[in-house]
Amino acid sequence: QVQLVESGGGLVPPGGSLRLSCVASGSIFSINTMNWYRQTPGKERELVAFITRGGSTYVVDSVKGRFAISRDNAKNVAYLQMNSLKPEDTAVYYCKAAVDSSGSTYYTDYWGRGTQVTVSS
């Protein structure tokens, strides 16, 4: 079994910064792509950013230039650095990771339970 745990959320004023962490643990042989999603009440979960095992990254246009994704493969951790936060960034942020648990190159997606980010004065 694999667990993903997000942390680093909280209340921050507009223009502030937060750094989210996603730690994967359990039966892990390797992790392929790691993703950050966010969701607000009544809306679908949306992709914010992803990073491949090799370090290639993608961030959605709405956060480009403000958010950056990174990872530490040795620690099975992904980060989301969020700068210049806006009220519209308020959401629950979720981590998703594609995990190979046995070396079979078959990857299963796992989700964390999320961390709340609130941007408000």
Side-chain angles (χ1 to χ4, degrees), residues 28-69:
I28 298 171
F29 182 82
S30 70
I31 302 176
N32 198 351
T33 303
M34 300 186 78
N35 310 258
W36 285 99
Y37 285 74
R38 65 185 180 186
Q39 187 171 26
T40 55
K43 293 189 176 181
E44 290 189 1
R45 196 170 294 186
E46 64 170 355
L47 177 68
V48 176
F50 69 74
I51 183 167
T52 68
R53 182 169 181 82
S56 297
T57 63
Y58 166 83
V59 293
V60 296
D61 286 345
S62 59
V63 305
K64 196 167 292 184
R66 300 189 297 120
F67 290 13
I69 187 170

